[in-house]
Structure formats: C-alpha cells, structure tokens
Amino acid sequence: MLPYVRIPDDRDVRSLPAKEHFPEFSIFSKNLIPACPACNSGVKQEIFKGSASPQRFLHPYYDALAEKAIWKVSVHPPFEAPHFTPTLMPGFSTSDSALLQFHIDHILGEQFALAMETGFTSIPQRVRDIMDHLSELDHADTELGLGKLVRDAITVGSQNCWDAALLRGVIGEEDTVAHVCREANKLSITPIF
C-alpha cells in the first residue's frame, strides 16, 4: 500500500515515505490505498516528494485533481515500434501542473512502457469490435469507436487509468487515428462464441 497522511497545519496533503520510516501509518485507514503491483513497486524508491512545494504524489482520497482527466499518453511513430510519452492535459494552473508532472514523472516505471506497447497494439481490434455494425470504418467512425473505448476504460478503471490515458492520447492525434483506422479495417470482428 502507498503511505500518505494529511498534515493538518497547512491544508495541503503531504506524502510520507515508506512504512519503514513511519510504521505507525501502516495501519492508518486513509494510508491504505489499493494499488496495482506496478504502482506499488520499487519504482519510486525513497522518493516521496520533490525539492519544492507542491511536488508530491497525488492522494486518491484527498486530492480532487484526480477526479478529472489529468493526463494522456502521446504515441510517437513509427507505429510499428512506437514510443509513448505521458503528457498532462491542458488547462491546469502552474501549481497544479507542477504537482501533476511530479506525480507522472515519478510513479510510472518499466511496467508502464510494457503496458502501453500491449495496449496500443490491441486498439485496432478493440475499435473493430466495438464498431462491429459497420463493414468498413472511416476516420469519424474510428474516433467514435475510440471514444466508446475511453468511456469503457473509465467505467472499468478510472478517469486516469492507463488505458483511458492511452486512448485519450490516440484520439488527440490525427495520424494515430488514421493508423488505427487502417489497421482496424484489415481485421475481422472477434467472434463472441
């Protein structure tokens, strides 16, 4: 579990390092946050806050920022061997952007890159399947299918799960949507039975 605690003297949530340093927080209910193995791994090491305020990790119970989409994953060609970059969504204040960028820079590790490769490869088939009522997809159909997949990712995961962030990044780039459209049109619909 990820260790966090509210510091009452400054209305800001501060994260604290591992339970080895603060064992009393290992049983504090608001400190026990469900996390996947990748997020709860050693990627962060001893990092728990930055060199300047407000750089710290987001807390899912106390930080309202996480209630809306805070990031997307930019996909860089060539699409046969793409590169993935986590990117903040626009519209955040300078202070919030610093907080969010610190979180993104220090929470994602090797599992992120592997998940993006696998996730990106599966998107054309997922679009083909969710738009199964059409014999061939055009650009607008592909964008509609991607939008449906984002909604499903949010429903199953969260507004800021890796799948939703990847799909938001794909929708935001015309060349990437065109690639997904071309690849989806080469595929057959996955049989249900």
Side-chain angles (χ1 to χ4, degrees), residues 55-92:
Q55 296 176 336
R56 61 177 172 76
F57 291 116
L58 290 177
H59 192 292
Y61 297 140
Y62 299 126
D63 283 312
L65 281 174
E67 294 173 2
K68 61 182 178 178
I70 60 173
W71 69 308
K72 65 180 180 177
V73 177
S74 297
V75 182
H76 308 282
F79 295 120
E80 296 73 29
H83 173 72
F84 305 94
T85 307
T87 309
L88 290 179
M89 296 294 285
F92 290 102

Side-chain angles (χ1 to χ4, degrees), residues 17-177:
K19 64 183 175 184
E20 292 80 26
H21 300 284
F22 297 92
E24 63 273 20
F25 293 124
S26 66
I27 58 171
F28 179 53
S29 64
K30 294 295 185 188
N31 183 46
L32 302 176
I33 301 166
C36 69
C39 290
N40 203 23
S41 69
V43 170
K44 298 175 295 304
Q45 302 291 329
E46 290 293 314
I47 296 172
F48 60 95
K49 65 178 182 174
S51 58
S53 181
Q55 296 176 336
R56 61 177 172 76
F57 291 116
L58 290 177
H59 192 292
Y61 297 140
Y62 299 126
D63 283 312
L65 281 174
E67 294 173 2
K68 61 182 178 178
I70 60 173
W71 69 308
K72 65 180 180 177
V73 177
S74 297
V75 182
H76 308 282
F79 295 120
E80 296 73 29
H83 173 72
F84 305 94
T85 307
T87 309
L88 290 179
M89 296 294 285
F92 290 102
S93 69
T94 303
S95 177
D96 287 347
S97 292
L99 170 66
L100 295 170
Q101 192 64 54
F102 176 84
H103 184 85
I104 288 173
D105 288 346
H106 293 91
I107 202 88
L108 303 173
E110 183 179 327
Q111 290 298 319
F112 169 76
L114 295 173
M116 292 304 101
E117 289 174 21
T118 303
F120 183 69
T121 302
S122 72
I123 289 174
Q125 185 68 61
R126 293 171 65 195
V127 168
R128 177 68 266 171
D129 290 345
I130 205 161
M131 300 301 287
D132 62 355
H133 61 287
L134 299 173
S135 58
E136 187 164 336
L137 304 175
D138 62 18
H139 195 86
D141 299 328
T142 304
E143 285 185 322
L144 179 61
L146 288 164
K148 290 179 178 191
L149 291 174
V150 171
R151 185 178 54 217
D152 287 350
I154 292 167
T155 300
V156 172
S158 71
Q159 186 70 256
N160 289 297
C161 70
W162 292 3
D163 192 31
L166 174 59
L167 290 162
R168 271 195 298 272
V170 170
I171 290 174
E173 296 296 329
E174 295 294 317
D175 291 346
T176 313
V177 174

